[in-house]
Amino acid sequence: MSDVPALVMDCGGKNMYDTNLVLGGKDFSSRLIVGTGKYSSNEVMRTAIEESGAEIVTVAIRRVALPGSGESILDVIDPKRYTLLPNTAGCYTADEAIRTCYLAREAGLGEMVKLEVIGDQRTLFPDVQGLLEATKTLARDGFTVMPYTNDDPVMAKKLEDAGAACVMPLGAPIGSGLGIRNPYNIKIILETVSVPVIVDAGVGTASDAAIAMELGCDGVLMNTAIAAASDPVSMAKAMRLGVQAGRLAYKSGRMGKKLYATASSPLEGVPDWTS
């Protein structure tokens, strides 16, 4: 028998023997987190989110109307069904990001936040110094902080020490669809921190999501890869299956890589027809 823990999916795609993703003291069976931006309509967004199987949905607080202030995507998402994850997209300083998180909490969106402090408008790479400062403040004030960061193992460890509930390194620039450009740094991050590692940004298709999970990541967060697809609803399903397949492959334990061929069938006991 293999020492690798069994991981079996039931007909609904739920894991039966794997552990759940735990964030902020809450358990989530889905390891896919999805966003709400760039959809052609709220109806397409709602259907795609349903098809993704995601239980956590991000909303950019600075870019949406809050509930009750007119037509809002927050009126489309059922807070009893989904955990809303307000994010600080569009914030360029630690102070901006911190105040935005306070606003989200006051609006009743909870204390679990995706923290972004952008350092460059063209690349949307994070300002890691501001990110670290904001993480320390928000964690001290009781927030469950999920920081979007670069793929730097040193910074990942600093964020963990600052109180981050997880670290979310980018796979590639936001909205680029380039996939994971530096899997080796992601692997080092996984070896460096003890909090969950969730790839955030850069995923373009289901194979990218599967690769992230095969590396051992605890989850994947995406928005554009689904919303900008020709068929967002079908792509959402593909992403759900990609995350599940990657997780199953990781837990199963892949075979070792070899330079030369190895016969698939054993040769012992094969008759020698040449004699």
Side-chain angles (χ1 to χ4, degrees), residues 22-25 111-116 128 131-149 154-169 189 193-198:
V22 180
L23 294 167
E111 296 182 323
M112 190 163 76
V113 294
K114 178 191 172 187
L115 180 62
E116 296 183 24
V128 292
L131 183 69
L132 185 59
E133 177 186 338
T135 297
K136 290 178 180 178
T137 299
L138 292 168
R140 186 175 62 241
D141 288 349
F143 285 87
T144 299
V145 186
M146 300 170 60
Y148 156 72
T149 184
V154 175
M155 180 51 61
K157 181 58 178 173
K158 288 182 178 180
L159 289 167
E160 178 184 27
D161 293 342
C166 68
V167 292
M168 306 208 307
I189 290 173
V193 302
S194 58
V195 294
V197 177
I198 299 172

Side-chain angles (χ1 to χ4, degrees), residues 12-115:
K14 303 296 185 181
N15 52 40
M16 296 171 64
Y17 299 105
D18 191 13
T19 56
N20 286 337
L21 174 63
V22 180
L23 294 167
K26 297 178 66 176
D27 282 55
F28 300 94
S29 59
S30 173
R31 293 175 179 271
L32 174 60
I33 303 172
V34 297
T36 52
K38 302 182 180 179
Y39 284 95
S40 59
S41 70
N42 282 346
E43 180 60 26
V44 172
M45 177 196 70
R46 184 188 62 78
T47 307
I49 291 174
E50 288 180 356
E51 198 62 48
S52 74
E55 296 168 289
I56 304 175
V57 179
T58 70
V59 289
I61 294 304
R62 300 192 63 178
R63 296 174 182 165
V64 301
L66 293 176
S69 58
E71 185 178 0
S72 169
I73 59 174
L74 297 180
D75 297 322
V76 181
I77 301 169
D78 183 358
K80 295 180 181 179
R81 179 174 181 181
Y82 301 105
T83 295
L84 295 179
L85 179 63
N87 72 60
T88 61
C91 293
Y92 285 82
T93 67
D95 184 60
E96 268 189 303
I98 292 167
R99 284 189 285 109
T100 300
C101 289
Y102 290 151
L103 174 64
R105 183 163 66 180
E106 289 299 317
L109 297 180
E111 296 182 323
M112 190 163 76
V113 294
K114 178 191 172 187
L115 180 62

